[in-house]
Structures are given as C-alpha cells and as structure tokens.
Amino acid sequence: MTDALAAFLRARFTEELEKARFASNTVTQDPGRFGVNPEDAARHARFSVATAEARLALLEDTVIPHLGSEGTAGRTAEYQLRLLAAPYVEHKDYPHE
C-alpha cells in the first residue's frame, strides 16, 4: 500500500508544481488582467511555486527513502506519508487498501 500511496502523492505533487508554475507565469505576465498589482503577483507566484517544490522535496527526500525501514524511521515515514495523503482521500485515484 505504501508504494502505491507514494506514487500517487508523487503524481499529485508533481502536477501541483506544474500548475503553480503555469499559474505563476500567467499571472506575472499580465497581473492587471487579474486585478492584482505586479509586486503582489510576483510574491504570490514565488510562494506558490516554493510551496509546491517544498512538498515534493519533503516527499522525495525525507519520506520515500525511509518507507519500509525498520524501527522508528520506517514508522515515522509511513505516518508522514499518510498525513501528506490525507487531503486526497476523496480523490478518484487514491489507492485505498
């Protein structure tokens, strides 16, 4: 189950990063069209992309490498994986057991 859940989250987080980059590009190119000033658009764009990058890095660098490990590290990684997946439990592709 954890392998399927990790793959599911990797796909969601990668998708969210792509969406954040696209939205950031769109808004920063013409912020007036969206009713925001350029500084706010740029700040929000950086925040959105950084947030998506951080979630993906957390998954890839600190959770996935420890899945299946014995002891505390493995239990903590599985717990973190389930916490990261919790908002997606109703997603149509969520890998239920």
Side-chain angles (χ1 to χ4, degrees):
M1 169 63 176
T2 57
D3 290 342
L5 192 53
F8 169 80
L9 279 179
R10 181 182 286 128
R12 296 295 71 75
F13 290 175
T14 299
E15 180 180 275
E16 289 174 11
L17 177 57
E18 291 169 4
K19 286 180 182 179
R21 286 178 176 155
F22 177 79
S24 295
N25 232 4
T26 302
V27 172
T28 55
Q29 287 181 11
D30 190 7
R33 175 177 168 206
F34 300 98
V36 296
N37 73 45
E39 295 81 21
D40 288 342
R43 188 173 22 260
H44 183 70
R46 287 189 304 273
F47 176 79
S48 297
V49 171
T51 299
E53 288 173 340
R55 291 179 71 194
L56 187 56
L58 174 68
L59 178 69
E60 294 288 349
D61 298 343
T62 66
V63 176
I64 291 176
H66 300 286
L67 288 174
S69 298
E70 295 295 321
T72 305
R75 287 191 304 275
T76 300
E78 186 170 342
Y79 182 65
Q80 289 172 327
L81 181 71
R82 293 186 187 285
L83 285 174
L84 289 170
Y88 300 94
V89 74
E90 298 298 325
H91 190 281
K92 65 180 177 69
D93 296 327
Y94 188 92
H96 295 280
E97 293 180 337

